[in-house]
Amino acid sequence: MTMQLNRLTPLAYFLLRVVAGLMFFQVGSMVMLGWFGGMPGGAASPPEIFSQTWFGGLLELVGGALVMVGLFTRPAAFLVSGEMAVAYFQFHYMTRGGWPVQNDGQPAVLYCFVFLLIAAQGAGIWSVDAMLQKREAAAHR
């Protein structure tokens, strides 16, 4: 039984990476491209260039896409994990205090740690990173 479950681990990790990246990409595309109804409250999309919202949206759009396809996965996941840590402390903890369940910070905390896991683990076997590593190894034979 354990051996069968171990065979599912790469698939489960692949799905976690792709879905987390896709969800993050969707937020970035809403902020930067006006997709999915655009910014909440009718805010301008894209936001003012070089504003904090612009940098956040850019990280979400590009970082989410990179994590989703598994390209430059470790640095991309590390950056967006840090973004979510900053977002939690700046927009949830500092303004509403308390625990994530009290300040609506659960998504930011969860994204932070999911992306931190992905940064530590790497892209996995089904990714552009893995494909490029195989190609490089074959070229050096």
Side-chain angles (χ1 to χ4, degrees):
M1 180 72 164
T2 302
M3 190 173 261
Q4 289 174 329
L5 291 177
N6 287 343
R7 290 186 358 200
L8 294 176
T9 301
L11 175 61
Y13 182 72
F14 166 75
L15 292 172
L16 174 70
R17 179 180 54 79
V18 169
V19 170
L22 174 63
M23 301 295 288
F24 219 59
F25 171 80
Q26 287 177 348
V27 174
S29 65
M30 180 182 67
V31 172
M32 299 302 287
L33 306 173
W35 294 359
F36 307 107
M39 289 285 288
S45 188
E48 185 178 328
I49 194 166
F50 300 125
S51 67
Q52 187 174 11
T53 304
W54 183 87
F55 278 114
L58 187 62
L59 279 170
E60 291 156 0
L61 182 72
V62 175
L66 290 173
V67 168
M68 181 174 51
V69 300
L71 178 62
F72 306 121
T73 308
R74 287 181 192 265
F78 185 74
L79 283 172
V80 296
S81 174
E83 177 198 7
M84 286 294 92
V86 168
Y88 173 73
F89 283 105
Q90 184 175 0
F91 297 111
H92 299 279
Y93 183 79
M94 296 302 287
T95 60
R96 296 182 239 167
W99 293 92
V101 71
Q102 295 172 317
N103 62 28
D104 297 321
Q106 303 100 317
V109 171
L110 189 57
Y111 272 127
C112 176
F113 283 94
V114 166
F115 287 129
L116 187 61
L117 169 68
I118 293 169
Q121 188 72 27
I125 59 174
W126 295 310
S127 64
V128 175
D129 285 344
M131 183 182 71
L132 293 173
Q133 286 175 344
K134 286 179 188 176
R135 184 179 293 167
E136 186 176 321
H140 287 99
R141 285 186 191 162

